[in-house]
Amino acid sequence: MTGQGEPSRPAARRPAVVRPLPIAVDTMGGDHAPGEIIEGAVDAVREHGVRVVLVGQAPRIQRELDRHGFAGKIPIVHAEEALDMGEGALASWRKPKSSIAIACHLIKQGRASALVSAGSTAGVVATSRLRLKGQQGVMRPAIAVALPTTPRPTILLDAGASVDVKPEGLVQFAALGTAYAQILLGVERPTVGLLTIGSEPGKGNKVTKRAHELLSGGSHGIEFAGNVEGHDLLRGVVNVVVTDGFTGNVALKTMEGTVRTAFAEIRTAMTASTPARFGALLQRRRLQELRDRLDPDTYGGGVLLGLNGTVVIAHGASHARAIASACELAHRLASGRIVERIREQVAATRTSRFGRWTHGERDAQDKDRNSRPAERPGEAPKSPEPPREIPAPAAEHAPPDRTEPPAAG
Amino acid sequence: MTGQGEPSRPAARRPAVVRPLPIAVDTMGGDHAPGEIIEGAVDAVREHGVRVVLVGQAPRIQRELDRHGFAGKIPIVHAEEALDMGEGALASWRKPKSSIAIACHLIKQGRASALVSAGSTAGVVATSRLRLKGQQGVMRPAIAVALPTTPRPTILLDAGASVDVKPEGLVQFAALGTAYAQILLGVERPTVGLLTIGSEPGKGNKVTKRAHELLSGGSHGIEFAGNVEGHDLLRGVVNVVVTDGFTGNVALKTMEGTVRTAFAEIRTAMTASTPARFGALLQRRRLQELRDRLDPDTYGGGVLLGLNGTVVIAHGASHARAIASACELAHRLASGRIVERIREQVAATRTSRFGRWTHGERDAQDKDRNSRPAERPGEAPKSPEPPREIPAPAAEHAPPDRTEPPAAG
């Protein structure tokens, strides 16, 4: 029974037999927590054979597991506090014992391979950035979402984790996206497009123009396919679309709003006359399926890439089904050794970028990573600190491969 | 007959009787030029009673007018060259005698009140920026588009004229949008939203956070309604949505692509089974209307605000109908004295912003306006020039009210 096993025993002392680490599921985040979350985790165990560990109010979880007849079959780790859906970044400091913080702790201890949470994106991102720390060499993390293109999804990143990004940051996002696409889409060399406002290299703002230069440089292990525009997002012209977290978030929410408006208007149009209403009856199911496929609220959620651990952020409105597939996704990414792949991809971009640094940029990047808001946007710091190497904040706490299944290491 | 009159006679020597200046129509720009363009202009004259002057290859225009039985009823100004749809900013320098350049010249001479062109946006923007120059006090122009919200459209700016914008630039866009909305929507105090990635003031990138502070400051004559997000764009929550030209362009094209995908999928879904196909027959017309309403390709086109003259950029694929309404819009804006309103609105924001300048910003803004690409994005200039007042490049050539109907002055 995959649900069994002792996640409390550290990875080091595990038997040689390969047993993938469980997925830590935050049972306290999300509009329908903990009921739907736990049900989803149970489904993941039952249907996908994923190992999970449930983090949250132990008694409540116990009751739910009884209800599903899974008492004692899924390990539980108690957590006192929960981040409210309304809470943002600050909560990550205020609540060191939140279910998300505990789940991150399990990953750092090598007792879990990944985290699944339907909590507020801001809270999940802030807490996991604080607890898991950024991967060595990764300037800033990015949220990758899968756009519902056919035949296979298109990966868009960043969907909102890092809003003020330098050109080198976008190049790194391309590396993160490449590693993610290799696992999610099973493509060996995924094509990467840069989201901007024209197909020609010269089109875009200062950051994207420079990023285009860097990406066109080659020798960074990225299959750069050039610029893409807003109307290409759902056309599936590339495997990965790279943009900063601000633009990506605006684009994603614009898509969401447009789909809703379109289908709301269609409903109206279709029921405006008796024959039309009759026609609508014949199509309601099909259209509902279609809306579900296109509406990020349904397919939504994303993966936070670039930290020392895999973090799957399910949509706040997630029901059991969405949680189950989030667990399955987290399992796939962990088994695919996403963190290691990212380290390799980013290393490739860094060597190719070597020598391109300027002090101003380094300082700006450090400022960005520590997310100290600048007094004046777009300005170099008043008193530039001496340039220094990009630090590896988390290297000593938790080397990336610690978060992978031991067999993989 | 409104089409008659001597546009060659300068505004000053006109009789006291109020006769609005004609709209200069670029007959050489657009996928369907000159046929559809000229037909649209003729419709504008015939149906909307708008006065126009046709700029382009005189013989060809003559032939078209004969075809419509309007020979001699609409003035023609000959232009040798045309900007190709593929041509961008450089063409504005290479072709000083292009139809757009000539039309701008008519505005500067006070022989036309506005310009309508279906040429390439890049070409129209670059040429009119070069020929008409920016209005006194306006840092950078913006393209305003009307999103198809109900009951009244929502104005989004900038849709792509100025991509690297400072917070003060966004405040000015709010002023431009306010002036535009007052005329287009007939609202006395239009509500203005700032496009960003969260409703709370703290959400967004450095530029939008700072812009939020400035807009919240009040005393700038702008009815600031706070932040709006991508999914609010089609909900009509505010009259005006302000953003930089990069984000605005991405959002607009994302909307366009999403609408197309949604309706393409709907067509498929609706014709997938015999009963569904039957239902589809009952609704085809309605859905087509709906698609047309939502697809920017149909309602598309925009108005370039902030120059010493009104420039209406019709969609490149415009047919006669779109051109006619573009002429009608240009006429409304000129009669509404848009340039003067903008001057007043911007003056209000500048006084309220007085003292907030820093040298770095001023230099950056000057650089932006002269659109010299910076070596390193987001950095302050290597050797800061001494701070100076925002120059008024075009004041002496053409005082803004010169572009308004003389009766208005």
Side-chain angles (χ1 to χ4, degrees):
Chain A
M1 170 60 222
T2 52
Q4 291 161 341
E6 301 292 313
S8 59
R9 212 191 299 148
R13 281 193 254 104
R14 297 171 148 286
V17 185
V18 182
R19 307 196 65 214
L21 288 167
I23 308 298
V25 179
D26 162 28
T27 63
M28 298 166 92
D31 305 340
H32 307 296
E36 292 283 327
I37 310 294
I38 295 170
E39 186 178 336
V42 169
D43 292 346
V45 172
R46 190 163 33 201
E47 287 153 31
H48 305 289
V50 176
R51 291 182 64 205
V52 304
V53 47
L54 300 175
V55 183
Q57 297 281 355
R60 179 70 196 272
I61 298 175
Q62 205 55 261
R63 277 202 305 282
E64 292 287 333
L65 286 183
D66 293 343
R67 227 162 48 71
H68 295 291
F70 262 66
K73 293 182 181 169
I74 298 182
I76 301 170
V77 173
H78 181 68
E80 271 309 325
E81 307 172 292
L83 297 187
D84 307 334
M85 291 310 278
E87 279 182 307
L90 275 178
S92 56
W93 294 92
R94 277 203 309 271
K95 296 184 173 176
K97 287 190 160 51
S98 70
S99 49
I100 299 171
I102 301 284
C104 292
H105 189 62
L106 291 178
I107 293 175
K108 283 174 68 175
Q109 282 186 309
R111 292 168 57 190
S113 61
L115 155 66
V116 169
S117 176
S120 82
T121 304
V124 176
V125 171
T127 306
S128 42
R129 278 180 83 162
L130 177 70
R131 307 290 165 189
L132 294 175
K133 301 289 196 304
Q135 264 186 264
Q136 177 160 16
V138 175
M139 298 169 193
R140 318 188 56 194
I143 296 174
V145 298
L147 303 179
T149 49
T150 47
R152 58 163 74 98
T154 301
I155 291 159
L156 172 75
L157 79 168
D158 173 19
S162 309
V163 291
D164 290 296
V165 182
K166 301 276 173 225
E168 287 75 7
L170 290 181
V171 174
Q172 286 205 340
F173 288 174
L176 303 187
T178 297
Y180 183 51
Q182 285 171 342
I183 298 172
L184 188 75
L185 311 180
V187 182
E188 198 31 63
R189 289 184 64 76
T191 53
V192 177
L194 178 66
L195 181 61
T196 178
I197 61 173
S199 45
E200 308 81 10
K203 288 297 183 77
N205 56 17
K206 293 171 185 170
V207 173
T208 52
K209 281 182 199 163
R210 175 68 179 144
H212 186 102
E213 288 173 17
L214 296 177
L215 286 166
S216 307
S219 78
H220 42 44
I222 293 163
E223 194 72 34
F224 183 52
N227 293 346
V228 297
E229 300 185 64
H231 44 57
D232 298 321
L233 291 177
L234 289 178
R235 284 180 52 225
V237 289
V238 290
N239 298 128
V240 179
V241 174
V242 167
T243 184
D244 65 275
F246 183 85
T247 311
N249 190 276
V250 168
L252 197 68
K253 287 175 176 168
T254 300
M255 217 177 286
E256 185 177 323
T258 309
V259 167
R260 291 199 184 149
T261 306
F263 279 86
E265 302 254 9
I266 284 161
R267 248 190 304 280
T268 321
M270 286 176 95
T271 53
S273 74
T274 317
R277 208 161 23 248
F278 174 64
L281 286 175
L282 306 170
Q283 298 153 339
R284 181 155 300 150
R285 210 189 78 265
R286 258 209 184 62
L287 287 178
Q288 191 51 51
E289 289 166 4
L290 183 58
R291 185 195 187 289
D292 290 351
R293 194 168 74 70
L294 290 180
D295 188 345
D297 210 354
T298 318
Y299 71 77
V303 178
L304 183 59
L305 301 171
L307 303 182
N308 291 306
T310 308
V311 179
V312 176
I313 306 170
H315 199 286
S318 294
H319 286 276
R321 203 191 71 203
I323 297 298
S325 49
C327 293
E328 209 264 330
L329 172 61
H331 174 73
R332 274 177 67 193
L333 292 173
S335 317
R337 308 172 63 191
I338 180 76
V339 176
E340 232 169 45
R341 278 177 189 258
I342 286 176
R343 197 172 60 239
E344 291 157 10
Q345 285 289 346
V346 168
T349 66
R350 294 196 69 205
T351 47
S352 78
R353 223 182 48 251
F354 186 74
R356 286 220 180 99
W357 294 104
T358 73
H359 303 173
E361 275 174 358
R362 274 190 181 150
D363 297 335
Q365 276 143 4
D366 295 343
K367 267 171 61 183
D368 289 347
R369 196 174 32 265
N370 311 336
S371 62
R372 267 188 268 115
E375 269 314 289
R376 282 265 179 277
E379 261 190 16
K382 306 271 175 298
S383 57
E385 304 143 30
R388 56 176 186 276
E389 280 311 312
I390 300 299
E396 64 283 1
H397 308 311
D401 50 16
R402 282 287 302 285
T403 65
E404 303 295 317
Chain B
M1 170 60 224
T2 50
Q4 290 161 343
E6 301 292 313
S8 56
R9 212 192 298 146
R13 282 193 252 102
R14 295 174 151 287
V17 185
V18 183
R19 307 198 62 212
L21 287 167
I23 308 298
V25 178
D26 163 27
T27 62
M28 298 167 90
D31 305 339
H32 307 296
E36 292 283 328
I37 310 293
I38 295 170
E39 184 178 337
V42 168
D43 292 348
V45 171
R46 189 162 34 200
E47 287 154 30
H48 305 289
V50 177
R51 291 182 64 206
V52 304
V53 48
L54 300 175
V55 183
Q57 296 281 355
R60 180 68 195 272
I61 297 174
Q62 205 55 262
R63 277 203 303 283
E64 292 287 333
L65 286 182
D66 293 344
R67 228 163 46 72
H68 296 291
F70 262 67
K73 293 182 179 168
I74 298 182
I76 301 170
V77 173
H78 181 68
E80 272 309 324
E81 308 172 292
L83 297 187
D84 306 334
M85 290 311 278
E87 278 182 308
L90 275 179
S92 57
W93 294 93
R94 277 202 309 270
K95 295 185 172 176
K97 286 191 160 53
S98 71
S99 49
I100 299 172
I102 301 285
C104 291
H105 189 64
L106 291 177
I107 294 175
K108 284 174 69 175
Q109 284 185 309
R111 293 168 58 190
S113 62
L115 155 65
V116 169
S117 176
S120 82
T121 305
V124 177
V125 171
T127 307
S128 42
R129 278 180 84 162
L130 177 69
R131 306 291 165 190
L132 294 175
K133 301 289 196 305
Q135 264 187 265
Q136 177 161 18
V138 175
M139 299 170 195
R140 317 189 55 194
I143 296 175
V145 297
L147 303 178
T149 50
T150 48
R152 58 163 76 95
T154 301
I155 291 160
L156 172 75
L157 78 168
D158 172 22
S162 308
V163 290
D164 291 295
V165 182
K166 301 273 173 229
E168 286 75 9
L170 290 180
V171 174
Q172 285 205 341
F173 287 174
L176 303 186
T178 297
Y180 184 50
Q182 285 171 342
I183 297 172
L184 189 75
L185 311 180
V187 183
E188 198 32 63
R189 288 183 64 75
T191 54
V192 177
L194 178 66
L195 181 61
T196 178
I197 61 172
S199 45
E200 308 82 9
K203 289 294 183 79
N205 56 16
K206 292 171 185 170
V207 173
T208 53
K209 282 182 198 164
R210 176 67 179 144
H212 187 103
E213 288 173 19
L214 295 177
L215 286 165
S216 306
S219 78
H220 42 44
I222 292 163
E223 195 71 33
F224 184 51
N227 293 346
V228 296
E229 300 184 64
H231 44 57
D232 298 322
L233 290 177
L234 288 178
R235 284 179 53 226
V237 289
V238 290
N239 299 127
V240 179
V241 174
V242 167
T243 185
D244 65 275
F246 183 85
T247 311
N249 189 275
V250 168
L252 197 68
K253 286 176 177 167
T254 300
M255 215 177 288
E256 183 177 324
T258 309
V259 167
R260 293 205 181 141
T261 306
F263 280 86
E265 301 255 10
I266 285 161
R267 246 188 305 281
T268 321
M270 287 176 100
T271 52
S273 74
T274 316
R277 208 162 22 247
F278 174 64
L281 285 175
L282 306 169
Q283 297 152 340
R284 180 153 302 149
R285 211 190 78 265
R286 258 206 185 64
L287 287 177
Q288 191 51 50
E289 289 166 5
L290 182 59
R291 185 196 188 289
D292 291 350
R293 193 168 73 70
L294 290 180
D295 188 346
D297 211 353
T298 317
Y299 70 77
V303 178
L304 183 59
L305 302 171
L307 303 182
N308 291 307
T310 308
V311 179
V312 175
I313 306 170
H315 199 286
S318 294
H319 286 277
R321 205 191 70 203
I323 297 297
S325 49
C327 294
E328 209 265 329
L329 172 60
H331 174 74
R332 275 178 67 193
L333 292 172
S335 317
R337 308 171 65 190
I338 180 75
V339 177
E340 232 168 43
R341 279 177 189 256
I342 286 176
R343 197 173 60 239
E344 291 157 11
Q345 284 290 347
V346 168
T349 65
R350 294 196 68 207
T351 47
S352 77
R353 222 180 50 252
F354 185 74
R356 286 217 181 103
W357 294 104
T358 72
H359 304 174
E361 276 175 359
R362 273 194 182 146
D363 298 336
Q365 276 144 4
D366 295 344
K367 267 171 59 184
D368 289 347
R369 194 174 33 262
N370 311 337
S371 61
R372 268 189 267 113
E375 268 315 287
R376 284 267 179 274
E379 259 189 18
K382 304 274 174 298
S383 58
E385 305 143 29
R388 55 178 186 276
E389 281 310 314
I390 300 299
E396 64 285 358
H397 307 312
D401 49 15
R402 282 287 302 283
T403 67
E404 303 297 319

Short mmCIF file of all heavy atoms in Angstrom, two decimals, chain A residues 37-60:
data_model
loop_
_atom_site.label_atom_id
_atom_site.label_comp_id
_atom_site.label_asym_id
_atom_site.label_seq_id
_atom_site.Cartn_x
_atom_site.Cartn_y
_atom_site.Cartn_z
N ILE A 37 -9.38 19.05 0.12
CA ILE A 37 -7.93 18.83 0.00
C ILE A 37 -7.60 17.37 0.37
O ILE A 37 -6.94 16.65 -0.39
CB ILE A 37 -7.15 19.79 0.92
CG1 ILE A 37 -7.63 21.24 0.74
CG2 ILE A 37 -5.66 19.65 0.67
CD1 ILE A 37 -7.35 21.84 -0.59
N ILE A 38 -8.12 16.97 1.53
CA ILE A 38 -7.82 15.62 2.01
C ILE A 38 -8.42 14.58 1.07
O ILE A 38 -7.77 13.59 0.71
CB ILE A 38 -8.33 15.45 3.46
CG1 ILE A 38 -7.55 16.39 4.39
CG2 ILE A 38 -8.21 14.00 3.91
CD1 ILE A 38 -8.10 16.51 5.79
N GLU A 39 -9.64 14.84 0.61
CA GLU A 39 -10.26 13.91 -0.32
C GLU A 39 -9.41 13.78 -1.58
O GLU A 39 -9.16 12.68 -2.09
CB GLU A 39 -11.67 14.38 -0.70
CG GLU A 39 -12.42 13.37 -1.57
CD GLU A 39 -13.83 13.84 -1.89
OE1 GLU A 39 -14.39 14.66 -1.11
OE2 GLU A 39 -14.37 13.40 -2.93
N GLY A 40 -8.89 14.92 -2.06
CA GLY A 40 -8.04 14.90 -3.24
C GLY A 40 -6.78 14.09 -3.00
O GLY A 40 -6.34 13.30 -3.85
N ALA A 41 -6.18 14.28 -1.80
CA ALA A 41 -4.95 13.54 -1.48
C ALA A 41 -5.24 12.04 -1.44
O ALA A 41 -4.47 11.23 -1.97
CB ALA A 41 -4.42 14.02 -0.14
N VAL A 42 -6.39 11.69 -0.85
CA VAL A 42 -6.79 10.27 -0.79
C VAL A 42 -6.94 9.72 -2.21
O VAL A 42 -6.43 8.63 -2.52
CB VAL A 42 -8.10 10.11 0.00
CG1 VAL A 42 -8.67 8.70 -0.16
CG2 VAL A 42 -7.87 10.42 1.47
N ASP A 43 -7.58 10.51 -3.08
CA ASP A 43 -7.72 10.07 -4.48
C ASP A 43 -6.36 9.86 -5.13
O ASP A 43 -6.15 8.88 -5.86
CB ASP A 43 -8.52 11.11 -5.28
CG ASP A 43 -9.97 11.18 -4.83
OD1 ASP A 43 -10.39 10.26 -4.10
OD2 ASP A 43 -10.65 12.16 -5.19
N ALA A 44 -5.43 10.79 -4.85
CA ALA A 44 -4.09 10.68 -5.44
C ALA A 44 -3.45 9.37 -5.02
O ALA A 44 -2.84 8.67 -5.83
CB ALA A 44 -3.23 11.86 -5.01
N VAL A 45 -3.63 9.01 -3.74
CA VAL A 45 -3.07 7.75 -3.24
C VAL A 45 -3.77 6.58 -3.91
O VAL A 45 -3.13 5.68 -4.46
CB VAL A 45 -3.26 7.66 -1.70
CG1 VAL A 45 -2.87 6.26 -1.21
CG2 VAL A 45 -2.44 8.73 -1.01
N ARG A 46 -5.10 6.64 -3.93
CA ARG A 46 -5.89 5.51 -4.40
C ARG A 46 -5.77 5.34 -5.91
O ARG A 46 -5.49 4.25 -6.41
CB ARG A 46 -7.36 5.72 -4.03
CG ARG A 46 -8.25 4.50 -4.26
CD ARG A 46 -9.54 4.64 -3.49
NE ARG A 46 -9.98 6.06 -3.41
CZ ARG A 46 -10.84 6.49 -2.47
NH1 ARG A 46 -11.34 5.68 -1.58
NH2 ARG A 46 -11.18 7.77 -2.45
N GLU A 47 -5.90 6.45 -6.67
CA GLU A 47 -5.97 6.32 -8.13
C GLU A 47 -4.62 6.43 -8.82
O GLU A 47 -4.34 5.74 -9.79
CB GLU A 47 -6.93 7.37 -8.70
CG GLU A 47 -8.40 7.03 -8.40
CD GLU A 47 -9.26 8.27 -8.36
OE1 GLU A 47 -8.94 9.23 -9.08
OE2 GLU A 47 -10.25 8.28 -7.57
N HIS A 48 -3.76 7.32 -8.30
CA HIS A 48 -2.48 7.53 -8.99
C HIS A 48 -1.33 6.83 -8.30
O HIS A 48 -0.18 6.92 -8.74
CB HIS A 48 -2.19 9.03 -9.11
CG HIS A 48 -3.28 9.81 -9.77
ND1 HIS A 48 -3.56 9.71 -11.12
CD2 HIS A 48 -4.20 10.69 -9.27
CE1 HIS A 48 -4.58 10.52 -11.43
NE2 HIS A 48 -4.98 11.11 -10.31
N GLY A 49 -1.61 6.21 -7.14
CA GLY A 49 -0.53 5.52 -6.44
C GLY A 49 0.57 6.45 -5.96
O GLY A 49 1.74 6.09 -5.87
N VAL A 50 0.19 7.71 -5.68
CA VAL A 50 1.16 8.70 -5.19
C VAL A 50 1.26 8.59 -3.67
O VAL A 50 0.25 8.40 -3.00
CB VAL A 50 0.72 10.13 -5.57
CG1 VAL A 50 1.66 11.17 -4.99
CG2 VAL A 50 0.64 10.26 -7.09
N ARG A 51 2.48 8.66 -3.14
CA ARG A 51 2.62 8.68 -1.68
C ARG A 51 2.47 10.12 -1.20
O ARG A 51 3.06 11.03 -1.80
CB ARG A 51 3.98 8.14 -1.26
CG ARG A 51 4.16 6.65 -1.50
CD ARG A 51 5.53 6.22 -1.02
NE ARG A 51 5.65 6.40 0.43
CZ ARG A 51 6.83 6.58 1.05
NH1 ARG A 51 7.94 6.65 0.34
NH2 ARG A 51 6.87 6.72 2.35
N VAL A 52 1.68 10.33 -0.17
CA VAL A 52 1.50 11.68 0.37
C VAL A 52 1.66 11.66 1.88
O VAL A 52 1.54 10.62 2.52
CB VAL A 52 0.11 12.25 0.02
CG1 VAL A 52 -0.14 12.23 -1.48
CG2 VAL A 52 -0.98 11.50 0.77
N VAL A 53 1.97 12.84 2.43
CA VAL A 53 1.92 13.05 3.87
C VAL A 53 1.07 14.31 4.08
O VAL A 53 1.28 15.32 3.42
CB VAL A 53 3.33 13.20 4.50
CG1 VAL A 53 4.19 14.16 3.70
CG2 VAL A 53 3.23 13.68 5.94
N LEU A 54 0.07 14.20 4.96
CA LEU A 54 -0.88 15.29 5.17
C LEU A 54 -0.41 16.20 6.29
O LEU A 54 -0.13 15.73 7.40
CB LEU A 54 -2.27 14.73 5.47
CG LEU A 54 -2.85 13.85 4.37
CD1 LEU A 54 -4.17 13.24 4.81
CD2 LEU A 54 -3.03 14.64 3.09
N VAL A 55 -0.32 17.51 6.01
CA VAL A 55 0.16 18.47 7.00
C VAL A 55 -0.99 19.38 7.41
O VAL A 55 -1.64 19.97 6.55
CB VAL A 55 1.32 19.31 6.44
CG1 VAL A 55 1.86 20.24 7.51
CG2 VAL A 55 2.41 18.41 5.89
N GLY A 56 -1.26 19.46 8.72
CA GLY A 56 -2.33 20.33 9.19
C GLY A 56 -2.83 19.90 10.57
O GLY A 56 -2.12 19.20 11.29
N GLN A 57 -4.04 20.31 10.90
CA GLN A 57 -4.65 19.98 12.19
C GLN A 57 -4.87 18.47 12.27
O GLN A 57 -5.85 17.95 11.73
CB GLN A 57 -5.97 20.71 12.35
CG GLN A 57 -5.85 22.23 12.37
CD GLN A 57 -5.38 22.75 13.73
OE1 GLN A 57 -5.24 21.98 14.69
NE2 GLN A 57 -5.11 24.05 13.81
N ALA A 58 -4.01 17.76 13.01
CA ALA A 58 -4.04 16.30 13.05
C ALA A 58 -5.44 15.73 13.36
O ALA A 58 -5.93 14.86 12.62
CB ALA A 58 -3.01 15.79 14.04
N PRO A 59 -6.12 16.22 14.40
CA PRO A 59 -7.42 15.61 14.74
C PRO A 59 -8.41 15.69 13.58
O PRO A 59 -9.04 14.71 13.20
CB PRO A 59 -7.91 16.44 15.92
CG PRO A 59 -6.69 17.12 16.48
CD PRO A 59 -5.77 17.32 15.32
N ARG A 60 -8.44 16.87 12.97
CA ARG A 60 -9.38 17.07 11.87
C ARG A 60 -9.04 16.14 10.70
O ARG A 60 -9.91 15.50 10.12
CB ARG A 60 -9.32 18.55 11.41
CG ARG A 60 -10.23 18.88 10.26
CD ARG A 60 -11.70 18.84 10.70
NE ARG A 60 -12.61 18.77 9.54
CZ ARG A 60 -13.07 19.85 8.91
NH1 ARG A 60 -12.74 21.05 9.32
NH2 ARG A 60 -13.88 19.72 7.87
#
